[in-house]
């Protein structure tokens, strides 16, 4: 049986110690989860081990495919059992994978490591958002969700920016084993931090259910039922379906383009040694976008559409000019896209009313993963036929289309509301 949180009677606006503890744990978890010194050097590790470009590409595909296949089942599992359990167990899988990489470097060790890393990502995706939202809901503080998650994403980006310059000295000191050991330690600390997450979830129909104590929770029973319940909510509520589609529409394209930003920066003519500095500017823009989520929460549908449109124009203009100054506009666009991504997630969480919160969040994650893979493929074709600046500018178009669709939907909703009000007023005026 799925579990649901019990609201704290008389809970306040979210400024109490419980919210602060939840937020602090989340920020620490997000920072440690991305403080991986292997990030900037693992491609070099693969190459130095003797892997070909094709083999390295196949590892990335395996990584993505693992996440796609496990995303929805793991989300349903998170709705059926403890979400905190999945959040501390996942980093242990990544730690095992990184250990394999440095102790027995080979194609198959790298492949197994990516499978473990992909499984970790699937376990946390959906479970983290659902746990945070429902704990805030229990405390009467769901209005803080966007701000809290925005800061958590910012903490993750700060961790990446800290890991990049630190990886060099650590590698110089002890090579790949030292970098790997530091990464494993970060994973272990992430798991330890996850055990500090509060989780107050009560059985929906009585104690003991949902924890494997009833016949319906036998293998293949409980989690599949939560999966069906979550998907049924999406089928039956158009607002949930719209929010599900909005998450990949906002998140996937710029998330995929991030992998190509070094090539975009290099095409502006800056020295190779200066590329990381310009990348830090782009990541700083995304970090600011996460921090602005609390303020951005006030944006309605029209404001959200305007945010996407402005960010798309900034991306296209900044990439098209192919100058270092244009990278500032790209950073501004990433600020807007990060903010929009957090807000899209918050819109989805607000619209989910059933017990399948992690399941539906994972469905959105699968949509994002599949769209990201499609962008990778499209960029390979477009980027080979034109400049990176032109390719980035072209990928701004989907955001303009999304902005137009949102604006049209808002206009239609306003029109329907006005028509309904007119009919209601007319019926009251009749004798």
């Amino acid at each position: 049986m799925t579990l649901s949180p019990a609201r704290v009677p008389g809970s306040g606006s979210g400024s109490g110690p419980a919210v602060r503890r939840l937020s602090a744990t989340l920020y620490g978890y997000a920072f440690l989860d991305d403080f991986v010194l292997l990030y900037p050097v693992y491609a070099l590790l693969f190459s130095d081990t003797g892997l070909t470009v094709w083999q390295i590409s196949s590892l990335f595909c395996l990584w993505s495919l693992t996440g796609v296949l496990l995303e929805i089942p793991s989300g349903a599992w998170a709705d059926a059992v403890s979400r905190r359990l999945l959040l501390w167990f996942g980093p242990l899988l990544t730690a095992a994978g990184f250990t394999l990489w440095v102790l027995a470097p080979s194609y198959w060790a790298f492949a197994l490591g990516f499978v473990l890393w992909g499984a970790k990502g699937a376990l946390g995706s959906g479970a983290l958002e659902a746990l945070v939202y429902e704990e805030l809901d229990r405390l009467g503080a769901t209005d803080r969700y966007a701000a809290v998650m925005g800061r958590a994403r910012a903490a993750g980006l700060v961790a990446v920016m800290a890991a990049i310059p630190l990886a060099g000295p650590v590698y110089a000191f002890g090579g790949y084993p030292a970098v790997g050991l530091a990464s494993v330690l970060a994973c272990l600390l992430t798991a330890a931090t996850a055990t500090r997450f509060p989780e107050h979830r009560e059985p929906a129909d009585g104690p003991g259910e949902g924890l494997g104590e009833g016949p319906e929770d036998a293998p293949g029973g409980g989690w599949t039922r939560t999966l069906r319940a979550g998907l049924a909510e999406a089928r039956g509520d158009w607002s949930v379906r719209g929010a599900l589609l909005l998450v990949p529409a906002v998140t996937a394209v710029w998330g995929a383009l991030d992998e190509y930003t070094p090539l975009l920066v290099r095409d502006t003519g800056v020295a190779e040694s200066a590329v990381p500095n310009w990348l830090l500017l782009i990541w700083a823009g995304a970090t600011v976008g996460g921090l602005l989520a609390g303020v951005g929460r006030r944006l309605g549908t029209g404001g959200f559409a305007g945010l996407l449109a402005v960010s798309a124009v900034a991306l296209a203009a900044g990439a098209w000019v192919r100058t270092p100054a244009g990278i500032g506009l790209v950073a501004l666009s990433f600020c807007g896209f990060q903010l929009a991504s957090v807000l899209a997630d918050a819109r989805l969480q607000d619209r989910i009313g059933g017990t399948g919160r992690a399941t539906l969040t994972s469905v959105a994650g699968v949509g994002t993963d599949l769209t990201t893979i499609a962008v990778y493929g499209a960029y390979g074709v477009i980027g080979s036929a034109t400049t990176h600046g032109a390719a980035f500018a072209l990928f701004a178009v989907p955001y303009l289309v999304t902005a137009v669709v949102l604006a049209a939907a808002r206009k239609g909703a306003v029109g329907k509301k006005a028509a309904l009000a007119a009919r209601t007023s007319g019926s009251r005026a009749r004798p």
Side-chain angles (χ1 to χ4, degrees):
M1 170 58 67
T2 54
L3 308 179
S4 58
R7 184 180 293 273
V8 176
S11 54
S13 62
S15 60
V19 172
R20 289 196 294 270
R21 176 195 169 193
L22 171 64
S23 301
T25 302
L26 175 63
Y27 303 154
Y29 181 88
F31 181 90
L32 291 169
D33 192 39
D34 279 323
F35 190 63
V36 178
L37 270 61
L38 272 171
Y39 278 163
V41 301
Y42 65 68
L44 301 178
L45 170 62
F46 301 158
S47 180
D48 291 346
T49 305
L51 270 62
T52 65
V53 174
W54 179 89
Q55 288 176 314
I56 294 175
S57 298
S58 70
L59 291 175
F60 292 150
C61 290
L62 179 63
W63 187 15
S64 299
L65 183 61
T66 301
V68 169
L69 293 177
L70 296 181
E71 184 91 30
I72 294 178
S74 67
W77 191 22
D79 282 330
V81 297
S82 168
R83 291 160 182 165
R84 180 172 56 195
L85 168 67
L86 303 189
L87 292 176
W88 69 254
F89 181 68
L92 299 182
L93 297 179
T94 311
F98 290 162
T99 302
L100 278 175
W101 285 7
V102 296
L103 293 184
S106 66
Y107 177 83
W108 294 110
F110 297 146
L112 180 56
F114 269 126
V115 169
L116 293 173
W117 198 351
K120 177 264 174 188
L123 290 176
S125 176
L128 180 64
E129 294 87 349
L131 184 148
V132 172
Y133 190 90
E134 291 190 355
E135 284 300 313
L136 289 174
D137 183 44
R138 190 183 72 90
L139 298 169
T142 55
D143 60 319
R144 295 280 304 277
Y145 177 80
V148 168
M149 292 304 294
R151 291 169 188 162
R153 296 196 185 190
L157 289 171
V158 169
V160 173
M161 291 188 286
I164 289 175
L166 187 59
V170 173
Y171 177 80
F173 173 76
Y176 292 120
V179 175
L181 176 62
S183 301
V184 169
L185 179 60
C187 292
L188 297 178
L189 290 175
T190 304
T193 302
T195 64
R196 300 290 299 167
F197 275 117
E199 185 175 25
H200 302 83
R201 302 177 67 206
E202 298 292 339
D205 295 320
E209 299 184 32
L211 304 176
E213 297 183 11
E216 71 277 11
D217 296 300
W223 77 266
T224 55
R225 185 166 62 178
T226 62
L227 173 60
R228 291 193 298 269
L231 296 179
E233 181 177 1
R235 290 193 301 269
D237 190 334
W238 67 267
S239 66
V240 174
R241 290 198 303 274
L244 279 173
L245 293 173
L246 184 62
V247 171
V250 171
T251 306
V253 175
W254 81 273
L257 291 180
D258 178 57
E259 301 295 336
Y260 302 98
T261 50
L263 302 176
L264 176 69
V265 172
R266 188 174 61 182
D267 271 8
T268 64
V270 303
E272 292 278 350
S273 59
V275 170
N277 297 329
W278 288 101
L279 293 179
L280 286 176
L281 175 62
I282 295 176
W283 290 326
T287 302
V288 172
L291 295 175
L292 290 175
V295 177
R297 176 82 172 185
R298 303 169 188 170
L299 292 176
T301 301
F304 191 91
L307 173 65
L308 287 181
V310 171
S311 300
V313 171
L315 175 65
W320 186 263
V321 297
R322 297 178 64 188
T323 65
I327 300 303
L329 286 175
V330 175
L332 178 63
S333 73
F334 273 44
C335 173
F337 291 141
Q338 177 72 288
L339 172 58
S341 297
V342 177
L343 296 181
D345 171 50
R347 288 165 67 98
L348 174 61
Q349 301 302 328
D350 286 341
R351 282 160 176 73
I352 297 174
T355 57
R357 184 174 304 278
T359 300
L360 291 176
T361 306
S362 292
V363 170
V366 168
T368 300
D369 291 340
L370 292 175
T371 306
T372 299
I373 293 172
V375 173
Y376 286 150
Y379 195 98
V381 175
I382 298 171
S384 299
T386 185
T387 65
H388 293 289
F392 268 67
L394 185 60
F395 277 106
V397 173
Y399 286 111
L400 291 174
V401 172
T402 302
V404 169
V405 171
L406 287 173
R410 177 182 178 276
K411 184 177 180 180
V414 171
K416 289 180 180 178
K417 185 176 180 180
L420 178 61
R423 287 197 301 268
T424 303
S425 176
S427 62
R428 289 176 179 174
R430 295 191 189 101

